[in-house]
Each structure stands twice: as C-alpha cells, then as structure tokens.
Amino acid sequence: MARIAVIGAGMGAMAAAARLAVAGHRVAVYERTETYGGAVRRFERDGFSFDTGPGLLTVPAVYRDLFIKTGKEPLEDLVELVQVDPSSRHVFADGTEVSLPNASRAGVVTALDEALGGGAGQRWGDFLIRAREAWDRTRRPLLEEPLWPNWSVLADQEPYPAVPHKKLLRTRRASTLAEIGAWELRDDRLTALLESHALAYGLHPRSAPASAAVLPYMEHAFGTWYVRGGVRELARAVYERCLARRVEFVFGAEVTRILEKDGRAAGVELGAGTVVDADHVVADVDPVRLWALTEHPLDEDGDVRADRVSPRPARLTLLLALRGPREAGAVHRTVVHAPDREAELDFLASPGGDEPRCPTVTVLRPDDPALRPDGEHESAVVSAVLSSEAGWGEEGTVARCTDFLLKAAESAVPDLRERLLWHEVRTPEHTEDETGARFGGVPAPSLAAGGGRFLHPANTTRLPRLYRVGGWSHPGGGLPHAGMSGALVAGLIVEGPQFRGSQ
C-alpha cells in the first residue's frame, strides 16, 4: 500500500484518487479552497442555483466507467442524466436560426438544409463523416493512452482527411479549422457553427489544426447531456465515491512545495510548514503553478510547446435570476453567434484595446426545478470566452462586456430585460481564485497536428513519482478529458511505466 498525496480536488484529481483508493493505496487530497470540484462549482442566492463551470456533459461513458470501476455501481443510480434535445439552437449573424437534434446525423442534415438551404446540411453531414475519421485515428493515442514518448508523431501528422481544394492552379488541403469552413463548408453560417466548438475552449479557428474537427464530432456522436440539479451534482457524486473509498480530504490546505528525496517526489509541504510524506504525488494544477512548486525541470521539451505557459483565453459568465416561468418550447442551449465573425477572430488574435462589440455567446436555460425558487422564476447562465488579458479588474471592462452578453442573450430569452431580477458577474478572476489557473484560463482538449502546440504535458514528469492530472495535463480540458486523465494517472501508478491505457 503506497501513500499518495494529491494536490487539488478537481474532477481529474478526484477521479484518480477514487481509482487509486480502490487499488488499495492510502490517498489524501490537499485542496487550497474550502470545497471540491475545481471549476465545477455552484452559486446559490435567493433560492436560485447556477453551475458556474461546465453546464453540460458529453461522453458520459467516462464517468460511467469511473463508477463501475470504483464500486460496480451505474452512474445513473447516483445522478439523473437527461439527454438535451434539441442539442442546441443557433442564432446566426444574418438572423437565420436553426435547432439541431441530439446525436442524429440525419436529423441535423435535414434541419440545416431546411434552415440554410443550398445543400448546407449535406455539406455538414459529409464533414461529420470526415471528422469521424479524424476521431478514429486519434481517439486512442490522445484520450486513452499516456502521451507517447515520441509525441512528435502526433504533432506532425494531420489526421483530418481534408478535401482537395484547387486555388491559383494549386491543389491544397485544409490544415486549420478556418480553412475547413472556407473550403469545405462554404457557408458563413456553417463556418460559424464549426468554429463555435473551438471558441468555447478558447481555441482560435485560424490557428487551430483541422484535427479540431473532433470537437463537434464528439458532441454529435455521444450526445449532449444535462445532470439534473446541475453538473455540480456530478462533482458531488465523485466526491462521495472518494469518501466511500476512504480518500481523505484536507480543505484550506495550500501546498507550497513538492518535496524531493533520492531523486524522486517524496511528499508535499503545506502553507503552515507541515510536511506530508508520500510515495507518489499527483498534481491537479496548471503548469506555471506546478513549476513553482518544484525547482526540478519537469520536461525535456518545455520550451517547444510554448502554449503551456502563455495566458489562455478565459470565460466571462453571467448568472441571471429571472421572474416569470420558462416559456413552453424553450431550448436548453442557445448559441448566439458574433455579429461580425472576422472582427471577433481579429480581436482574439491580437487582444488589446476595446472588446469586440459582441462575441459568440452561449445561453443555458435548464428546465430544472432544483435551480429556481418556484415555477414562477427561472435561472439562466450566459457565457463567452474572451481574452484573459482584457483588464478584468477594471469596472468599465466588466460593465461593457456584461452589456454585450445581455444584449446577445435577448435572442435566447424573450423579454430578458423586463424579466431580470438580478445578475451575478463571474469574471476570469473568480475562476483564478477558485481553481488557481493563471488568469482564469480555459484549458482546451489535446489535439493532433499543429506542430505539437495543441498537446498538453504528459501525465508523468522527469521527476519520478510526480504525476500531472486534470485539464492542464494530457489529454486536456473538459469534463470527459479530466476523467480520462484520472484513469491514466491511476494506471501509471498501479501498473507502472508499462501501462498503455484501457483495452
């Protein structure tokens, strides 16, 4: 039985802790704040409740596997999963609207053809077929296995089978998400639909590799799910599973240093000077903070993937308390696309100066009695991913961006201004305080190609017995990816360096 110290109580950390405890190890989690869940939090006021982190779940199989492997208990016995249908409603810059059914290629093709015309649905359906091929080629190395030592193979090869495009007497293939939109989808609205999946993670469509096509494919193939009571209920279930497996949690415990002995990680030191010995250390923190906890060089290639330490875009979120009931036929998720897509991309490429007049905005309106005081009220969450360097400490910036989001949300919530009782603003600074992520940055899933700039640090480090877990490590950000990282770290500790993922 090994002693394992886990830094942070995020979803990836708890997933690893539960699996390690079931394997017979003694696990203690040290969390700097007073609660679990990382970015998966809840805000409550006046009988209203809101998810302040992710509001929807994709690939629920990741958490089904976690609960089966740590207790032979179905996920659905612990939380209520509801398939969101339609999966999303999209409001485009020209006023066109379309609602897309959940996990139905034929339904999506029909909806897009009816709303956009001109064979748009068929072009999107053909794109999904190519995206599936990219998914099949990268699923195992990017999600189910530890990062390969020869990761440059993933960095150099583009798995998306782009359609040949003739331009200026040359035949070219799309190498970025933006080129897929321009050359293969050939409709500004379809391009906006494609790019919204990347923008949600702070990825820039002009630089994101074509392999980012797997992002809309994941949602299409595995569906979009809501956890009744909010996604925070999933975090609660994972936390309680850890407790049932005798994982110890110490809240309000800031880790200030990772201890080393005989060339390996040997424990942690807490803010009060308390030393905790351990045989393995698992860190659910971003790369900058992890490097600050140890002077040991953690990567041989740390200067190759500079995005590991550069500030990432961050999410601005508004929590809306609304008077009046949710109208019949209201859609759970509405994506309001930027009025000027190119201006939004220009700003993200060169942050500074004024914010774009209105970025791409997501509005979540769950039909859930647990989130409102009674049937005569409604709670809603409005969010957008913006530059983390926009000066969020300045009242003018926050007020201006709040107005942008409210204006966009009017396309999703009828009579929004008249119904609004109050709103709570959650800036990237809130995210940084709660998660420790520098500037409140949003971690993206790992992607192939792009010279390796879209891969994340491996779960192992050059310091033996120190492991990374969570959104800032392989396989990247997002609820499913966090759960996968927990499985990978547990496998590496239990089985050793020969572990190659689940079969």
Side-chain angles (χ1 to χ4, degrees):
M1 179 177 70
R3 299 164 301 172
I4 299 174
V6 180
I7 306 172
M11 296 297 283
M14 292 196 296
R19 291 175 181 271
L20 289 167
V22 166
H25 298 299
R26 193 173 76 195
V27 185
V29 177
Y30 300 92
E31 166 59 45
R32 57 188 286 272
T33 69
E34 298 299 330
T35 190
Y36 56 86
V40 184
R41 304 263 179 146
R42 175 182 287 150
F43 180 87
E44 298 177 335
R45 175 181 162 188
D46 301 339
F48 293 90
S49 294
F50 310 86
D51 280 323
T52 61
L56 295 170
L57 174 66
T58 57
V59 200
V62 172
Y63 289 93
R64 291 189 179 112
D65 181 71
L66 171 65
F67 284 100
I68 290 295
K69 296 289 178 58
T70 60
K72 298 182 180 179
E73 192 171 10
L75 171 63
E76 284 82 355
D77 285 355
L78 302 166
V79 299
E80 182 182 354
L81 291 181
V82 181
Q83 196 165 26
V84 176
D85 202 5
S87 173
S88 57
R89 168 176 168 251
H90 292 263
V91 179
F92 297 106
D94 65 353
T96 306
E97 299 182 13
V98 62
S99 291
L100 302 179
N102 200 340
S104 169
R105 178 180 175 275
V108 168
V109 168
T110 299
L112 288 172
D113 272 338
E114 291 178 353
L116 308 186
Q122 188 60 52
R123 289 198 299 279
W124 183 261
D126 293 342
F127 158 74
L128 287 178
I129 293 174
R130 295 189 293 275
R132 177 180 179 175
E133 188 169 338
W135 166 262
D136 289 340
R137 290 174 178 176
T138 60
R139 173 182 59 83
R140 186 157 184 81
L142 279 187
L143 300 180
E144 298 177 357
E145 297 180 344
L147 187 64
W148 294 346
N150 60 333
W151 58 265
S152 60
V153 175
L154 293 171
D156 297 336
Q157 296 181 0
E158 173 56 68
Y160 177 77
V163 177
H165 171 74
K166 291 184 178 180
K167 185 176 183 180
L168 299 177
L169 303 181
R170 291 192 303 164
T171 298
R172 302 179 62 186
R173 293 178 182 268
S175 61
T176 67
L177 212 60
E179 289 175 344
I180 291 177
W183 301 350
E184 297 180 10
L185 299 179
R186 305 189 307 279
D187 184 299
D188 286 345
R189 297 161 297 184
L190 288 182
T191 299
L193 172 60
L194 169 65
E195 294 179 347
S196 66
H197 292 272
L199 291 169
Y201 288 104
L203 293 168
H204 199 295
R206 293 175 185 163
S207 58
S211 65
V214 299
L215 300 178
Y217 176 77
M218 285 175 62
E219 187 171 299
H220 161 76
F222 303 105
T224 304
W225 301 81
Y226 174 67
V227 182
R228 185 71 67 185
V231 173
R232 175 67 175 179
E233 287 299 295
L234 177 63
R236 175 196 55 77
V238 177
Y239 171 66
E240 291 180 353
R241 174 52 49 88
C242 287
L243 293 179
R245 297 299 170 259
R246 299 186 178 180
V247 174
E248 177 187 2
F249 283 81
V250 183
F251 295 108
E254 176 108 33
V255 173
T256 57
R257 188 162 64 97
I258 294 173
L259 305 178
E260 300 180 29
K261 182 179 180 182
D262 299 329
R264 67 169 181 83
V268 298
E269 181 177 313
L270 305 180
T274 304
V275 170
V276 179
D277 295 328
D279 300 299
H280 301 270
V281 176
V282 177
D284 189 354
V285 298
D286 74 16
V288 173
R289 185 177 171 216
L290 181 58
W291 293 348
L293 295 178
T294 174
E295 297 179 356
H296 197 284
L298 299 179
D299 294 283
E300 295 178 354
D301 58 346
D303 60 342
V304 174
R305 283 170 269 175
D307 66 306
R308 292 175 170 183
V309 297
S310 59
R312 289 210 35 86
R315 185 172 285 110
L316 177 69
T317 302
L318 304 183
L319 313 178
L320 309 184
L322 303 172
R323 63 170 61 90
R326 186 176 184 268
E327 74 276 9
V331 175
H332 189 122
R333 176 176 56 169
T334 299
V335 179
V336 184
H337 295 271
D340 189 335
R341 187 175 59 85
E342 292 298 331
E344 179 181 28
L345 299 186
D346 287 343
F347 174 80
L348 288 174
S350 302
D354 292 336
E355 292 285 338
R357 291 190 176 183
C358 191
T360 298
V361 173
T362 299
V363 182
L364 298 180
R365 303 178 64 194
D367 186 10
D368 190 344
L371 304 186
R372 56 188 184 239
D374 53 50
E376 295 303 313
H377 294 86
E378 179 187 2
S379 68
V381 177
V382 183
S383 64
V385 175
L386 300 166
S387 169
S388 61
E389 303 172 278
W392 296 110
E394 303 172 9
E395 290 187 8
T397 299
V398 175
R400 187 168 63 250
C401 291
T402 296
D403 192 58
F404 297 157
L405 267 63
L406 286 174
K407 182 178 180 180
E410 290 175 342
S411 299
V413 184
D415 304 317
L416 172 62
R417 302 279 182 170
E418 292 76 16
R419 296 182 58 197
L420 187 61
L421 287 170
W422 51 262
H423 69 272
E424 182 80 15
V425 181
R426 306 274 302 182
T427 71
E429 291 183 338
H430 288 98
T431 303
E432 182 172 11
D433 288 342
E434 292 178 350
T435 68
R438 193 167 66 135
F439 304 119
V442 177
S446 290
L447 299 173
R453 292 181 296 115
F454 300 90
L455 297 174
H456 287 268
N459 304 109
T460 55
T461 71
R462 291 183 68 192
L463 179 60
R465 301 193 182 185
L466 171 63
Y467 304 84
R468 301 182 182 93
V469 75
W472 298 104
S473 67
H474 179 75
L479 276 173
H481 296 73
M484 293 173 195
S485 75
L488 292 175
V489 167
L492 288 165
I493 292 176
V494 172
E495 298 186 25
Q498 71 274 9
F499 174 71
R500 290 295 177 266
S502 58
Q503 299 299 319

